[in-house]
Amino acid sequence: MSATGIARTVATDAPRAAPLYVASLGAGSPLVLLHGFAMHGGVLAGLAARLAARHRVHVVDLPGHGRSCSANVDTLGAVADAVATSVAAARAHDTAAHAPVAVLGWSFGGQVAMAWAAQRPAEIARLALVCTTPSFVTRADWPCAMAPETLSRFGDELAVAYRATLQRFLTLQVQGSDAGRAALAQLRARLFEHGNPAPAALARTLALVAGNDLRPLAASLYVPALVVAGARDALAPAPAGAWLAAALPAGRLAMLDGAAHAPFLSHPEAFGAALGAFLDER
């Protein structure tokens, strides 16, 4: 399928979802934060607080995660549509309610951000894709990912004991990272802060994680884009981030040495410097 075909499918392949939970803070140019699989916006609270000094920040809980309802959202396009609609509602009374937004998407949230930019390009000013990959699983021509069998086994474990499985998942996110122990403590402290994730929503989202291959989409996204990659990331390996940055027409790469999958926690200064320089560009 062509990139245009993917964008069209992303835009129209599912019904509109119910509004999502959006926390808004700060003042300045609009910035949306999207978390990763099985997390919630509270995991990004520290980052949001720092960014709120210069931006009007909107932190979203994705469908079925955190405080958002467990809507029957089965496609990436439907997730992106729910996010776009909910953010628009949250911005309704902002001074610049109709100005394009910058979107920071972490991990799966980065895939949602890419889908949003594909289906509603006029709404997006720039993208910051943090530890994001166009495909989280290996394919015949895509070796820089996890084996499909590994993700399938994770799904089986999630269905049996999701709390214990998610705790192990957090460990994988910081594996090999400098300051990984401190980052893990922060993730563990916030994991269930917005309530327990809905098991059915986790299963649906995991199916998207397994099925998404956004490589054909990348070349059609002309918005300025920063790809932040962790050199030691086991979930979105560094070569995947490098590929994505090169494939995006206006993409660039910030490779953080010593970082794994949560650089905003493990390497806040280096991460903040790269992100701030990108967001402050005119």
Side-chain angles (χ1 to χ4, degrees):
M1 181 182 292
S2 68
T4 301
I6 290 177
R8 187 177 300 114
T9 300
V10 163
T12 61
D13 57 3
R16 192 177 300 273
L20 306 178
Y21 176 83
V22 182
S24 302
L25 65 160
S29 59
L31 172 62
V32 177
L33 306 186
L34 305 177
H35 62 81
F37 168 75
M39 302 289 108
H40 56 78
V43 174
L44 303 172
L47 175 62
R50 294 191 296 272
L51 292 169
R54 298 175 64 90
H55 302 276
R56 178 63 171 165
V57 182
H58 304 278
V59 189
V60 181
D61 281 359
L62 295 176
H65 292 67
R67 293 170 178 158
S68 288
C69 65
S70 182
N72 186 23
V73 179
D74 294 319
T75 68
L76 185 63
V79 175
D81 186 65
V83 168
T85 302
S86 300
V87 168
R91 298 179 64 207
H93 300 293
D94 286 357
T95 303
H98 301 293
V101 298
V103 183
L104 182 154
W106 171 44
S107 193
F108 173 69
Q111 292 193 334
V112 177
M114 291 172 66
W116 184 359
Q119 63 194 38
R120 303 185 184 203
E123 296 181 3
I124 308 300
R126 54 187 53 228
L127 294 174
L129 305 173
V130 181
C131 297
T132 297
T133 171
S135 174
F136 280 97
V137 299
T138 57
R139 303 178 190 277
D141 56 348
W142 183 253
C144 44
M146 73 182 79
E149 297 78 14
T150 300
L151 194 62
S152 177
R153 184 166 59 251
F154 174 74
D156 293 340
E157 295 170 353
L158 202 62
V160 173
Y162 76 89
R163 291 183 69 93
T165 302
L166 289 179
Q167 292 285 3
R168 292 196 299 273
F169 178 54
L170 298 186
T171 302
L172 183 61
Q173 295 193 41
V174 301
Q175 181 177 297
S177 172
D178 296 340
R181 183 173 297 180
L184 179 60
Q186 293 183 66
L187 287 171
R188 284 177 170 168
R190 292 189 174 275
L191 179 58
F192 300 112
E193 186 178 49
H194 286 192
N196 295 333
L202 291 181
R204 286 194 295 268
T205 307
L206 191 64
L208 293 181
V209 171
N212 289 338
D213 184 357
L214 303 187
R215 286 177 294 166
L217 189 66
S220 70
L221 302 179
Y222 289 92
V223 62
L226 172 70
V227 178
V228 181
R232 300 179 183 177
D233 194 339
L235 296 175
W243 183 97
L244 183 58
L248 292 163
R252 72 194 73 173
L253 177 67
M255 183 68 66
L256 300 187
D257 293 335
H261 198 62
F264 53 92
L265 295 178
S266 64
H267 294 69
E269 292 185 3
F271 178 83
L275 179 64
F278 174 69
L279 293 177
D280 288 343
E281 288 179 350
R282 293 293 180 265

